[in-house]
Structure formats: structure tokens, C-alpha cells
Amino acid sequence: MKSLALLALIAAAPAATPPSAADIVRDAPAAAWVAVPPEDLLVVDSAKGRIVIQLAPGFAPAHVAAVRKLARDGDFEGGAVVRVQDNYVVQFAAKQGRTAPPAPSPAGKAQLPAEYEQPASGAFTPLPYPDAYADQAGYVAGWPVGRSAGSQWLVHCYAMVGAGRDEPPSTGDGRELYAVSGHGPRHLDRNIALVGRVVEGLANWTSLPRGTEALGFYKSAAERTPLTRARIAADVADAPRFEVMDTASPTFRAYIEARANRRESFFLRPAGAVDLCNAPVPVRRKP
Amino acid sequence: MKSLALLALIAAAPAATPPSAADIVRDAPAAAWVAVPPEDLLVVDSAKGRIVIQLAPGFAPAHVAAVRKLARDGDFEGGAVVRVQDNYVVQFAAKQGRTAPPAPSPAGKAQLPAEYEQPASGAFTPLPYPDAYADQAGYVAGWPVGRSAGSQWLVHCYAMVGAGRDEPPSTGDGRELYAVSGHGPRHLDRNIALVGRVVEGLANWTSLPRGTEALGFYKSAAERTPLTRARIAADVADAPRFEVMDTASPTFRAYIEARANRRESFFLRPAGAVDLCNAPVPVRRKP
């Protein structure tokens, strides 16, 4: 039982500043983190540094399987970063991949199932703010999703990775992958298979010169950044390991609240809301 | 009066494909474009190319006046691009400008009025879709704005330019300007004075290496990109001239509708909506 003197001290103490989103991530308990299976990490080395991609087999199993096979068959070696379009995407291709804009229909063909959306399922943490593109924005299993009419889909936020395709009925085959490098191009949602997100190293490629051809493709082979190697982390003894915040955890809910209500001393007027792509799921190197 | 035969032909003709957003911009009548006053164009030359900024005196008159004076006094010469933070901003500074993160209060001081929002005014074209940050998103006088409770403000979309500041009560003095280079950081809305937008050349700077210090500042002077010159277009005989689409025009409304409902053959499922930063106001070189 507290003494009256202690209670008086507590009452007189200034209100503690609630933690910022950075504080919450830094202090998150071990239980709030989920290890990324090494089978879901694609490590891509290039002449301009490494990027690491977390694959999303729960949303695009056939595309992810195709990407894993390409990596294990060595098909990305000899490939290159072929496209850098400002405020849009950075795209890389396997050695047999496309180095020019999508072909018009009917050249395209369906190579894989159209894994563009799926029935709503999984533990859903809603983002309690309006979204222009979905009836409800939120998170499932560590990923940003939109939900409408019983369906859910991964959304095009910064660093999300999709499988480039030709015009319909093409669905892409994993030989061209792009990472979002600008304002979230949400109009692509439900039109392309998103297969994962870059969890490390994206700035190595977003700082590349922009391509000067249509859609930011490079004009010549000399402009492209060669890929030297691409491996699945499960096959590599010293590959980096990552953890993603559990989006069903109370810690993640506190993080969302703090992203919506910035308490850092720089801010005069917290927004009181946040959009899906401005509340990215925290990812870290496994400590 | 049309003949029955002609009517039959009309009925049998396939429905014309409605124009895409690109078609609408390309075919926009001269009346749908508004010339940018040369007094509102800041032309910045650097060791890595030129960027052109359209200033917004209607929203931040004191900050814009300060930027014009700095340019005319030659204060940007000898300055540099001092900060490139991935998925956030590219920042440049006059020769007396800050090259490190904002100072904590109370070092900051109010240099200029806090031009962060203003009473709602002007011809408003609403964007008919939900926005997480404002009661109503839309456009006024060629600019993207948020509106809530009788107030309006410029919003942080890609390429928008703001006046960096220290912590409150600092309001910035125009010596540090940043351009948004990632997903629209809308949490900065109403917390900083936005002074304009880059209308040409931003990719020259977004492709610069990211800074490795806190907030993406460069560590050494050698990493910074020097500014060689900054001028107001009104003072330069051969300066480029620009036009902005009239956001109160029927053409602009058609453009918004087409951005929300992509009809290009690549798309299987038009979103039926668009967010403010994915419907940027068209700007072009004066033909």
C-alpha cells in the first residue's frame, strides 16, 4: 500500500510523454516480433550493392515458388536492373527477362495463376482511418492489405515488390520484379501479383540514374546494373535474418496510434490519422 | 435531322474507348491551361543538373518573398544539396543554411509567419474520394489541398517543396528547402510551410546517393552537390516557361475521373478511386 506522501509525489509528477513510434519499436518485447523464415528471404547482389526481399507466399504462392526456382536455378545471374522510373518503380530482370515496356495483348500469356487478391482471411488489424482504394485498410500476418467485399489484397506501398507482366492475360512469371520507389501507386493493386517487399538495401537502387526510355527503361545494356547473384537465405549459411513486427500484437496497435499522433517535439499539430503506406510494418535484423 | 440510315450506323458503331488521363492532358484545350507567372518560378542550377520550382505565393506569401530575396541576393550560390533521405526528402540549403538535423527547442526562433494553413478560400474542386488526413481533399488554384473545419492547406505530395525549420517556434526562413521524394509524408501537413513544387528536373536530385547521417544528411562537404546558381525566371530572358492545368476546368475534372478509372489496356480492374497524391495537377512547358 502506497503512503500518502508517495501518492502526493505521483500526483505532482509531470505527465510522462507517451512513447513515440520509434520508442515503441525500440522497446518492443521479443514476443512482438516474428522471425521471417529463411525460405522467404531472397538476397540479391548487384554491382551496386545488395537488396534483401521478404517473399509473401501466403498471398502469391505460385509466383513466390517461381521466384524461388529462378533464384535456385541461377537465372538472376546475368540479369540486371533494367528500369528506374522516377516516383514509380525500380525493376530488375532475370537473364531471360524483359528489358522494354510490356507487350500489348495478345502477346502476353497467362503463365501463373492471377494472384492479385484472395478471400479475406487471417488475423486482421484494421487501420482506423479512411482509405481511398479499399473499404478497409489494415494488416494481415505482417503485411499491409486492403479489404473490400470479402476480398483482401496486398497493397502497393513503398518497397513492396511485384511481378512485372505483359498486358492481360499475362500474369508475369517472376522474371521481372519491381520494387515501388515513389508514392504508393495504389491503382496497381489487384492488377498485378505482389510477391513481397524489400526489407534492406532499397536505397542502393533508388539512387540509380533514371532510365530515359518509355516507362524509365534504360536505353542500353551499359546503363543497366548487373545482378551478380540471387539466393534464398535458407541456402546460405551466413545470410542475414530478419524479424517482422506481429501486426496482431498490442505493440503494433500502439505503434499505429503513435504514427497517427506524432508526439515528437518537432510537431505542432499531430495529424490524428495516418494512411496505410505511412505506417509501414516494422522490420529489423534479428538481434 | 439525321437520317434513319445514319442513326443505324451510329447505333452499330462500337462504343468509343473513353480517353485516358494521358489523352486528356495531351488534348486539353488552351483554355484549360494557366500560365505560371515568371515571378513564381525559381530556377536552381547545380553540379547535377537543373530543377525548376513553381512557388506558391497564394499559400505562403512571406516564405515565398523570402525565397525570392535569397535567390536575388545570390544566397543560394555556394549552397548545396545537403540531405537525401530515402523515401522522404531531398533538401538543399543556401550558403548560410543548415547542413545538419533541426536544432531542438528553444534554439529555434520564429523568423516568418507560420504559413501552415489558411482560411478555406478560392475555387475548390473536391476529389470525390476519402482522405485519411483531411475532411475533404481537393484542389485550389492549381494546387493540391486538404480542407477541414474551415481551413485549407497545401499537402505533402511527391515533388512538393517546403521550408525546412528548426523545432518550434522556428518557422524556417527559406534558407533550407526540401522537395518530397517518397510516399507523401502527409503527417508534415500543417506543421511546415509548403512554398511550392518542383515542376522539372527533380530526378536529377532524387537519384543522388542517400546521406548516411541522421535524417539522410551528408557527412562531409565532399558528398554535397554544389548549387551554382538560383534565379527567378522573371529576371532571366531565356528561362523556361510553364503552364498548369486549371483545376476549376471541366478538363481537369475529366482528368481526375480518368486517373481514378484507368482504361489503359494494362488494367483489369480500375480502382474506381484515386488519392490526392496519385492525381497530380498536370504541368507542362509552355508550348
Side-chain angles (χ1 to χ4, degrees):
Chain A
M1 186 177 163
K2 291 186 178 69
S3 75
L4 282 179
L6 180 55
L7 284 174
L9 272 173
I10 291 170
T17 305
S20 69
D23 295 336
I24 290 166
V25 173
R26 185 196 60 215
D27 299 336
W33 295 97
V34 179
V36 177
E39 187 70 11
D40 292 352
L41 288 172
L42 176 66
V43 182
V44 183
D45 293 314
S46 80
K48 297 285 186 178
R50 170 177 287 186
I51 69 163
V52 182
I53 295 170
Q54 179 192 6
L55 300 168
F59 290 87
H63 282 80
V64 165
V67 170
R68 285 195 190 110
K69 182 172 191 317
L70 288 165
R72 287 181 163 136
D73 288 350
D75 281 334
F76 287 110
E77 283 88 335
V81 179
V82 297
R83 175 190 184 194
V84 183
Q85 183 172 6
D86 198 59
N87 188 24
Y88 208 55
V89 298
V90 176
Q91 190 162 315
F92 65 102
K95 61 189 171 201
Q96 309 91 337
R98 176 174 296 285
T99 58
S105 186
K109 63 182 195 300
Q111 298 101 329
L112 294 169
E115 297 173 317
Y116 305 157
E117 56 188 308
Q118 62 182 208
S121 61
F124 182 66
T125 299
L127 188 70
Y129 310 111
D131 185 271
Y133 295 89
D135 289 348
Q136 178 67 61
Y139 304 84
V140 170
W143 296 93
V145 303
R147 279 189 168 188
S148 291
S151 182
Q152 72 186 16
W153 60 92
L154 292 180
V155 304
H156 280 79
C157 292
Y158 197 89
M160 291 292 286
V161 174
R165 62 164 173 81
D166 282 338
E167 299 209 0
S170 168
T171 54
D173 62 5
R175 291 180 193 280
E176 294 96 42
L177 298 173
Y178 63 87
V180 171
S181 59
H183 188 80
R186 298 280 306 276
H187 51 281
L188 298 176
D189 292 358
R190 297 200 268 182
N191 282 284
I192 303 188
L194 284 166
V195 301
R197 68 179 150 218
V198 178
V199 294
E200 193 172 277
L202 183 53
N204 291 328
W205 288 4
T206 55
S207 53
L208 292 172
R210 278 49 185 154
T212 55
E213 296 293 283
L215 305 184
F217 280 88
Y218 288 122
K219 188 166 190 168
S220 66
E223 294 171 287
R224 297 177 194 133
T225 298
L227 306 183
T228 52
R229 199 165 57 169
R231 298 174 295 173
I232 299 298
D235 304 339
V236 184
D238 63 345
R241 297 289 189 261
F242 290 86
E243 295 179 330
V244 173
M245 190 173 279
D246 177 1
T247 50
S249 67
T251 305
F252 183 73
R253 287 178 189 261
Y255 162 82
I256 291 293
E257 193 279 334
R259 290 290 287 185
N261 299 284
R262 304 286 182 119
R263 286 177 279 262
E264 297 89 336
S265 52
F266 186 83
F267 289 89
L268 292 159
R269 179 195 274 275
V274 63
D275 73 313
L276 189 57
C277 294
N278 270 316
V281 179
V283 178
R284 67 176 186 181
R285 283 266 192 149
K286 187 175 165 62
Chain B
M1 184 179 164
K2 292 186 176 70
S3 73
L4 282 178
L6 181 56
L7 284 175
L9 273 174
I10 291 170
T17 304
S20 70
D23 294 337
I24 290 166
V25 173
R26 184 195 62 218
D27 298 336
W33 296 97
V34 179
V36 177
E39 187 70 10
D40 293 352
L41 288 171
L42 176 66
V43 182
V44 183
D45 293 314
S46 79
K48 297 285 186 178
R50 169 177 287 186
I51 68 164
V52 182
I53 295 169
Q54 179 192 5
L55 300 168
F59 290 86
H63 282 80
V64 165
V67 170
R68 285 195 190 110
K69 182 172 190 322
L70 287 165
R72 286 180 162 136
D73 288 350
D75 282 334
F76 287 110
E77 283 88 334
V81 179
V82 297
R83 174 190 185 194
V84 183
Q85 183 172 5
D86 198 58
N87 189 24
Y88 209 54
V89 298
V90 176
Q91 190 162 316
F92 65 103
K95 62 189 169 199
Q96 309 90 337
R98 176 174 297 284
T99 59
S105 186
K109 64 183 195 299
Q111 299 100 328
L112 293 169
E115 297 173 318
Y116 305 157
E117 56 188 308
Q118 62 183 207
S121 61
F124 181 66
T125 299
L127 188 70
Y129 311 110
D131 185 90
Y133 296 88
D135 289 348
Q136 178 68 60
Y139 304 85
V140 170
W143 296 94
V145 302
R147 279 190 168 187
S148 292
S151 182
Q152 72 186 16
W153 60 91
L154 292 181
V155 303
H156 280 81
C157 292
Y158 197 88
M160 291 292 286
V161 174
R165 62 164 171 82
D166 281 339
E167 299 210 0
S170 168
T171 54
D173 62 4
R175 290 181 194 278
E176 294 95 43
L177 298 174
Y178 62 88
V180 172
S181 61
H183 188 79
R186 298 280 305 277
H187 51 281
L188 298 175
D189 294 357
R190 299 201 267 181
N191 282 283
I192 303 188
L194 284 166
V195 301
R197 68 180 149 216
V198 178
V199 294
E200 192 171 279
L202 182 53
N204 291 327
W205 288 4
T206 56
S207 54
L208 292 172
R210 277 50 185 154
T212 55
E213 295 294 284
L215 306 184
F217 280 88
Y218 288 122
K219 187 166 191 169
S220 66
E223 295 171 287
R224 296 178 194 134
T225 297
L227 306 183
T228 53
R229 198 166 56 171
R231 298 173 294 174
I232 299 298
D235 304 339
V236 184
D238 63 345
R241 297 289 188 261
F242 291 85
E243 295 179 331
V244 173
M245 190 172 279
D246 177 1
T247 51
S249 68
T251 304
F252 184 73
R253 287 178 189 260
Y255 161 82
I256 291 293
E257 193 278 335
R259 291 289 287 186
N261 299 285
R262 304 286 182 119
R263 286 176 279 262
E264 297 89 335
S265 52
F266 186 83
F267 289 89
L268 292 159
R269 178 195 276 276
V274 64
D275 73 313
L276 189 58
C277 294
N278 270 315
V281 178
V283 179
R284 67 176 187 182
R285 284 267 191 146
K286 186 174 163 63

